[in-house]
Amino acid sequence: MSLETIDGKAVKNLAGAHALNGAVVLGQPGGFAVLVKYGVNERAVAAQRSRRMRIWRNLNTAAAYVRDELGLARFEIDMTAHDPAAVERKRPDTAERQRQIHEAAEHDTWFRGEVQKALDGIKDGSNAAIPGDEWAERAKAKRAELQRRIMTNGH
């Protein structure tokens, strides 16, 4: 079924303006779509960042969206095209995205801890400022070490 879509933000604006005439939770292979009716139009709610029809995995979440997000306590359910045996959609990028989010959160926690240690050290005097000439000498030694590694490893 190829229906025109409407983005979620526009649907919520219509709901906020009490401009929705109704909704249909439409069974699909592997899930449920939501069609909204406004004026003489009927559109499928689109997935975020796409113009494709959004598919909820189960009837309860689709119904909760219509009831809670759109404010419609009464709506139709059409199970004609629903196929519960259809293969679920897979999102291979989800696992990678979640791993990156957790990794970033761990790094953020570590970094904030290191900054706090440095600030605490400045307060209690255990972190002393390095004089400018000593700092320059350390930087020069570090650069020499990096150049030596580059020459040795060919990188």
Side-chain angles (χ1 to χ4, degrees):
M1 175 180 278
S2 179
L3 292 166
E4 289 187 47
T5 60
I6 182 171
D7 70 71
K9 186 174 181 179
V11 171
K12 287 185 181 181
N13 288 340
L14 288 169
H18 304 288
L20 294 176
N21 301 334
V24 178
V25 175
L26 185 63
Q28 299 288 299
F32 298 87
V34 173
L35 307 180
V36 293
K37 299 175 184 180
Y38 57 99
V40 295
N41 299 304
E42 184 175 70
R43 302 274 192 278
V45 176
Q48 276 187 328
R49 297 177 297 276
S50 86
R51 297 304 300 166
R52 289 180 300 162
M53 186 168 39
R54 178 176 175 184
I55 301 294
W56 282 262
R57 291 187 189 270
N58 67 60
L59 180 58
N60 290 337
T61 54
Y65 173 80
V66 174
R67 184 192 64 222
D68 301 337
E69 300 291 324
L70 304 183
L72 298 173
R74 295 177 59 98
F75 52 91
E76 297 177 48
I77 298 173
D78 181 345
M79 297 293 285
T80 307
H82 182 63
D83 180 4
V87 178
E88 283 191 30
R89 300 170 297 126
K90 298 288 182 195
R91 295 281 313 264
D93 59 323
T94 300
E96 177 61 20
R97 187 172 58 246
Q98 288 297 320
R99 186 192 64 73
Q100 290 174 355
I101 289 168
H102 289 293
E103 196 174 271
E106 288 172 6
H107 177 74
D108 184 65
T109 300
W110 169 83
F111 181 76
R112 289 176 186 274
E114 292 298 305
V115 169
Q116 190 59 54
K117 282 184 209 173
L119 292 173
D120 291 345
I122 291 169
K123 261 187 197 174
D124 68 19
S126 62
N127 284 354
I130 300 172
D133 56 344
E134 185 180 336
W135 181 260
E137 200 56 42
R138 286 185 184 186
K140 184 178 175 183
K142 186 68 172 174
R143 275 194 303 276
E145 173 63 20
L146 288 172
Q147 286 176 343
R148 185 190 63 72
R149 285 186 187 174
I150 290 169
M151 297 299 252
T152 303
N153 297 329
H155 295 116

PDB file of all heavy atoms in Angstrom, residues 1-5 24 26-29 33-35 42-44 52-53 55 78 80-81:
ATOM      1  N   MET A   1       0.850  -1.179   0.000  1.00  0.00           N
ATOM      2  CA  MET A   1       0.000   0.000   0.000  1.00  0.00           C
ATOM      3  C   MET A   1       0.890   1.234   0.000  1.00  0.00           C
ATOM      4  O   MET A   1       1.796   1.351   0.799  1.00  0.00           O
ATOM      5  CB  MET A   1      -0.886  -0.023   1.250  1.00  0.00           C
ATOM      6  CG  MET A   1      -1.727   1.228   1.405  1.00  0.00           C
ATOM      7  SD  MET A   1      -2.763   1.173   2.870  1.00  0.00           S
ATOM      8  CE  MET A   1      -4.097   0.211   2.225  1.00  0.00           C
ATOM      9  N   SER A   2       0.631   2.136  -0.903  1.00  0.00           N
ATOM     10  CA  SER A   2       1.435   3.344  -1.002  1.00  0.00           C
ATOM     11  C   SER A   2       0.567   4.565  -0.682  1.00  0.00           C
ATOM     12  O   SER A   2      -0.217   5.005  -1.509  1.00  0.00           O
ATOM     13  CB  SER A   2       2.025   3.461  -2.410  1.00  0.00           C
ATOM     14  OG  SER A   2       2.779   4.641  -2.514  1.00  0.00           O
ATOM     15  N   LEU A   3       0.719   5.064   0.508  1.00  0.00           N
ATOM     16  CA  LEU A   3      -0.045   6.230   0.948  1.00  0.00           C
ATOM     17  C   LEU A   3       0.879   7.430   1.052  1.00  0.00           C
ATOM     18  O   LEU A   3       2.073   7.282   1.295  1.00  0.00           O
ATOM     19  CB  LEU A   3      -0.658   5.965   2.328  1.00  0.00           C
ATOM     20  CG  LEU A   3      -1.741   4.912   2.399  1.00  0.00           C
ATOM     21  CD1 LEU A   3      -1.998   4.537   3.835  1.00  0.00           C
ATOM     22  CD2 LEU A   3      -3.012   5.442   1.761  1.00  0.00           C
ATOM     23  N   GLU A   4       0.317   8.604   0.897  1.00  0.00           N
ATOM     24  CA  GLU A   4       1.104   9.804   1.156  1.00  0.00           C
ATOM     25  C   GLU A   4       1.352   9.870   2.651  1.00  0.00           C
ATOM     26  O   GLU A   4       0.547   9.403   3.455  1.00  0.00           O
ATOM     27  CB  GLU A   4       0.358  11.047   0.684  1.00  0.00           C
ATOM     28  CG  GLU A   4       0.283  11.160  -0.827  1.00  0.00           C
ATOM     29  CD  GLU A   4      -0.306  12.495  -1.258  1.00  0.00           C
ATOM     30  OE1 GLU A   4       0.115  13.538  -0.720  1.00  0.00           O
ATOM     31  OE2 GLU A   4      -1.192  12.468  -2.123  1.00  0.00           O
ATOM     32  N   THR A   5       2.493  10.480   3.022  1.00  0.00           N
ATOM     33  CA  THR A   5       2.846  10.531   4.439  1.00  0.00           C
ATOM     34  C   THR A   5       2.812  11.962   4.959  1.00  0.00           C
ATOM     35  O   THR A   5       2.790  12.922   4.186  1.00  0.00           O
ATOM     36  CB  THR A   5       4.255   9.948   4.673  1.00  0.00           C
ATOM     37  OG1 THR A   5       5.209  10.704   3.921  1.00  0.00           O
ATOM     38  CG2 THR A   5       4.317   8.482   4.305  1.00  0.00           C
ATOM     39  N   VAL A  24      -6.666   5.681  12.009  1.00  0.00           N
ATOM     40  CA  VAL A  24      -6.797   4.241  11.793  1.00  0.00           C
ATOM     41  C   VAL A  24      -5.448   3.620  12.090  1.00  0.00           C
ATOM     42  O   VAL A  24      -4.423   4.060  11.560  1.00  0.00           O
ATOM     43  CB  VAL A  24      -7.193   3.917  10.329  1.00  0.00           C
ATOM     44  CG1 VAL A  24      -7.276   2.403  10.119  1.00  0.00           C
ATOM     45  CG2 VAL A  24      -8.489   4.592   9.953  1.00  0.00           C
ATOM     46  N   LEU A  26      -3.435   0.704  11.176  1.00  0.00           N
ATOM     47  CA  LEU A  26      -3.535  -0.160   9.998  1.00  0.00           C
ATOM     48  C   LEU A  26      -2.507  -1.286  10.086  1.00  0.00           C
ATOM     49  O   LEU A  26      -1.300  -1.049  10.064  1.00  0.00           O
ATOM     50  CB  LEU A  26      -3.285   0.686   8.739  1.00  0.00           C
ATOM     51  CG  LEU A  26      -3.459   0.031   7.393  1.00  0.00           C
ATOM     52  CD1 LEU A  26      -4.902  -0.406   7.190  1.00  0.00           C
ATOM     53  CD2 LEU A  26      -3.036   1.002   6.304  1.00  0.00           C
ATOM     54  N   GLY A  27      -3.002  -2.529  10.184  1.00  0.00           N
ATOM     55  CA  GLY A  27      -2.111  -3.685  10.223  1.00  0.00           C
ATOM     56  C   GLY A  27      -1.306  -3.793   8.944  1.00  0.00           C
ATOM     57  O   GLY A  27      -1.844  -3.620   7.854  1.00  0.00           O
ATOM     58  N   GLN A  28      -0.024  -4.081   9.098  1.00  0.00           N
ATOM     59  CA  GLN A  28       0.907  -4.251   7.980  1.00  0.00           C
ATOM     60  C   GLN A  28       1.682  -5.540   8.210  1.00  0.00           C
ATOM     61  O   GLN A  28       1.735  -6.034   9.334  1.00  0.00           O
ATOM     62  CB  GLN A  28       1.907  -3.083   7.943  1.00  0.00           C
ATOM     63  CG  GLN A  28       1.289  -1.727   7.746  1.00  0.00           C
ATOM     64  CD  GLN A  28       0.782  -1.570   6.338  1.00  0.00           C
ATOM     65  OE1 GLN A  28       1.517  -1.644   5.389  1.00  0.00           O
ATOM     66  NE2 GLN A  28      -0.526  -1.368   6.216  1.00  0.00           N
ATOM     67  N   PRO A  29       2.322  -6.071   7.200  1.00  0.00           N
ATOM     68  CA  PRO A  29       3.204  -7.214   7.456  1.00  0.00           C
ATOM     69  C   PRO A  29       4.303  -6.798   8.451  1.00  0.00           C
ATOM     70  O   PRO A  29       5.029  -5.843   8.215  1.00  0.00           O
ATOM     71  CB  PRO A  29       3.799  -7.528   6.082  1.00  0.00           C
ATOM     72  CG  PRO A  29       2.783  -6.986   5.111  1.00  0.00           C
ATOM     73  CD  PRO A  29       2.225  -5.760   5.778  1.00  0.00           C
ATOM     74  N   ALA A  33       0.828   0.566  11.037  1.00  0.00           N
ATOM     75  CA  ALA A  33       0.990   1.962  10.637  1.00  0.00           C
ATOM     76  C   ALA A  33      -0.156   2.753  11.253  1.00  0.00           C
ATOM     77  O   ALA A  33      -1.153   2.182  11.691  1.00  0.00           O
ATOM     78  CB  ALA A  33       0.956   2.088   9.121  1.00  0.00           C
ATOM     79  N   VAL A  34      -0.008   4.074  11.287  1.00  0.00           N
ATOM     80  CA  VAL A  34      -1.080   4.943  11.773  1.00  0.00           C
ATOM     81  C   VAL A  34      -1.438   5.915  10.656  1.00  0.00           C
ATOM     82  O   VAL A  34      -0.576   6.617  10.130  1.00  0.00           O
ATOM     83  CB  VAL A  34      -0.661   5.713  13.046  1.00  0.00           C
ATOM     84  CG1 VAL A  34      -1.722   6.736  13.435  1.00  0.00           C
ATOM     85  CG2 VAL A  34      -0.413   4.748  14.193  1.00  0.00           C
ATOM     86  N   LEU A  35      -2.708   5.902  10.296  1.00  0.00           N
ATOM     87  CA  LEU A  35      -3.222   6.859   9.319  1.00  0.00           C
ATOM     88  C   LEU A  35      -4.013   7.906  10.083  1.00  0.00           C
ATOM     89  O   LEU A  35      -4.794   7.572  10.972  1.00  0.00           O
ATOM     90  CB  LEU A  35      -4.153   6.178   8.319  1.00  0.00           C
ATOM     91  CG  LEU A  35      -3.633   4.950   7.582  1.00  0.00           C
ATOM     92  CD1 LEU A  35      -4.702   4.426   6.626  1.00  0.00           C
ATOM     93  CD2 LEU A  35      -2.372   5.279   6.832  1.00  0.00           C
ATOM     94  N   GLU A  42      -6.191  11.982   4.189  1.00  0.00           N
ATOM     95  CA  GLU A  42      -5.799  10.845   5.010  1.00  0.00           C
ATOM     96  C   GLU A  42      -4.344  10.556   4.672  1.00  0.00           C
ATOM     97  O   GLU A  42      -4.005  10.340   3.511  1.00  0.00           O
ATOM     98  CB  GLU A  42      -6.673   9.632   4.708  1.00  0.00           C
ATOM     99  CG  GLU A  42      -6.366   8.457   5.605  1.00  0.00           C
ATOM    100  CD  GLU A  42      -7.317   7.299   5.377  1.00  0.00           C
ATOM    101  OE1 GLU A  42      -7.218   6.668   4.304  1.00  0.00           O
ATOM    102  OE2 GLU A  42      -8.149   7.049   6.253  1.00  0.00           O
ATOM    103  N   ARG A  43      -3.495  10.610   5.672  1.00  0.00           N
ATOM    104  CA  ARG A  43      -2.050  10.420   5.459  1.00  0.00           C
ATOM    105  C   ARG A  43      -1.506   9.432   6.495  1.00  0.00           C
ATOM    106  O   ARG A  43      -1.978   9.374   7.627  1.00  0.00           O
ATOM    107  CB  ARG A  43      -1.281  11.733   5.627  1.00  0.00           C
ATOM    108  CG  ARG A  43      -1.699  12.868   4.723  1.00  0.00           C
ATOM    109  CD  ARG A  43      -0.976  12.793   3.389  1.00  0.00           C
ATOM    110  NE  ARG A  43      -1.123  14.005   2.604  1.00  0.00           N
ATOM    111  CZ  ARG A  43      -2.157  14.302   1.857  1.00  0.00           C
ATOM    112  NH1 ARG A  43      -3.194  13.504   1.815  1.00  0.00           N
ATOM    113  NH2 ARG A  43      -2.186  15.410   1.148  1.00  0.00           N
ATOM    114  N   ALA A  44      -0.464   8.722   6.108  1.00  0.00           N
ATOM    115  CA  ALA A  44       0.235   7.831   7.021  1.00  0.00           C
ATOM    116  C   ALA A  44       1.303   8.637   7.764  1.00  0.00           C
ATOM    117  O   ALA A  44       1.985   9.466   7.163  1.00  0.00           O
ATOM    118  CB  ALA A  44       0.891   6.690   6.254  1.00  0.00           C
ATOM    119  N   ARG A  52       9.075   7.647   4.565  1.00  0.00           N
ATOM    120  CA  ARG A  52       8.424   6.340   4.544  1.00  0.00           C
ATOM    121  C   ARG A  52       7.458   6.214   5.721  1.00  0.00           C
ATOM    122  O   ARG A  52       7.647   6.830   6.767  1.00  0.00           O
ATOM    123  CB  ARG A  52       9.461   5.225   4.622  1.00  0.00           C
ATOM    124  CG  ARG A  52      10.268   5.104   3.342  1.00  0.00           C
ATOM    125  CD  ARG A  52      11.283   4.012   3.450  1.00  0.00           C
ATOM    126  NE  ARG A  52      12.185   4.341   4.556  1.00  0.00           N
ATOM    127  CZ  ARG A  52      12.972   3.482   5.153  1.00  0.00           C
ATOM    128  NH1 ARG A  52      12.991   2.238   4.791  1.00  0.00           N
ATOM    129  NH2 ARG A  52      13.754   3.854   6.135  1.00  0.00           N
ATOM    130  N   MET A  53       6.470   5.387   5.549  1.00  0.00           N
ATOM    131  CA  MET A  53       5.469   5.150   6.579  1.00  0.00           C
ATOM    132  C   MET A  53       6.141   4.551   7.824  1.00  0.00           C
ATOM    133  O   MET A  53       6.923   3.614   7.721  1.00  0.00           O
ATOM    134  CB  MET A  53       4.411   4.188   6.014  1.00  0.00           C
ATOM    135  CG  MET A  53       3.251   3.961   6.893  1.00  0.00           C
ATOM    136  SD  MET A  53       1.854   3.111   6.055  1.00  0.00           S
ATOM    137  CE  MET A  53       2.620   1.913   5.017  1.00  0.00           C
ATOM    138  N   ILE A  55       6.362   2.304  11.021  1.00  0.00           N
ATOM    139  CA  ILE A  55       5.756   1.032  11.404  1.00  0.00           C
ATOM    140  C   ILE A  55       6.062   0.772  12.879  1.00  0.00           C
ATOM    141  O   ILE A  55       7.220   0.736  13.283  1.00  0.00           O
ATOM    142  CB  ILE A  55       6.302  -0.146  10.550  1.00  0.00           C
ATOM    143  CG1 ILE A  55       6.041   0.097   9.058  1.00  0.00           C
ATOM    144  CG2 ILE A  55       5.706  -1.473  11.008  1.00  0.00           C
ATOM    145  CD1 ILE A  55       4.587   0.099   8.653  1.00  0.00           C
ATOM    146  N   ASP A  78      -7.667  -1.606  11.613  1.00  0.00           N
ATOM    147  CA  ASP A  78      -7.887  -2.397  10.406  1.00  0.00           C
ATOM    148  C   ASP A  78      -6.787  -3.455  10.331  1.00  0.00           C
ATOM    149  O   ASP A  78      -5.625  -3.141  10.095  1.00  0.00           O
ATOM    150  CB  ASP A  78      -7.839  -1.480   9.177  1.00  0.00           C
ATOM    151  CG  ASP A  78      -8.091  -2.220   7.875  1.00  0.00           C
ATOM    152  OD1 ASP A  78      -8.035  -3.479   7.858  1.00  0.00           O
ATOM    153  OD2 ASP A  78      -8.317  -1.533   6.868  1.00  0.00           O
ATOM    154  N   THR A  80      -6.763  -6.044   8.194  1.00  0.00           N
ATOM    155  CA  THR A  80      -6.853  -6.727   6.914  1.00  0.00           C
ATOM    156  C   THR A  80      -5.489  -7.156   6.370  1.00  0.00           C
ATOM    157  O   THR A  80      -5.303  -8.294   5.955  1.00  0.00           O
ATOM    158  CB  THR A  80      -7.553  -5.828   5.870  1.00  0.00           C
ATOM    159  OG1 THR A  80      -8.795  -5.387   6.405  1.00  0.00           O
ATOM    160  CG2 THR A  80      -7.787  -6.567   4.571  1.00  0.00           C
ATOM    161  N   ALA A  81      -4.505  -6.280   6.375  1.00  0.00           N
ATOM    162  CA  ALA A  81      -3.196  -6.583   5.780  1.00  0.00           C
ATOM    163  C   ALA A  81      -2.165  -7.048   6.798  1.00  0.00           C
ATOM    164  O   ALA A  81      -1.012  -7.294   6.447  1.00  0.00           O
ATOM    165  CB  ALA A  81      -2.666  -5.349   5.049  1.00  0.00           C
TER     166      ALA A  81
END
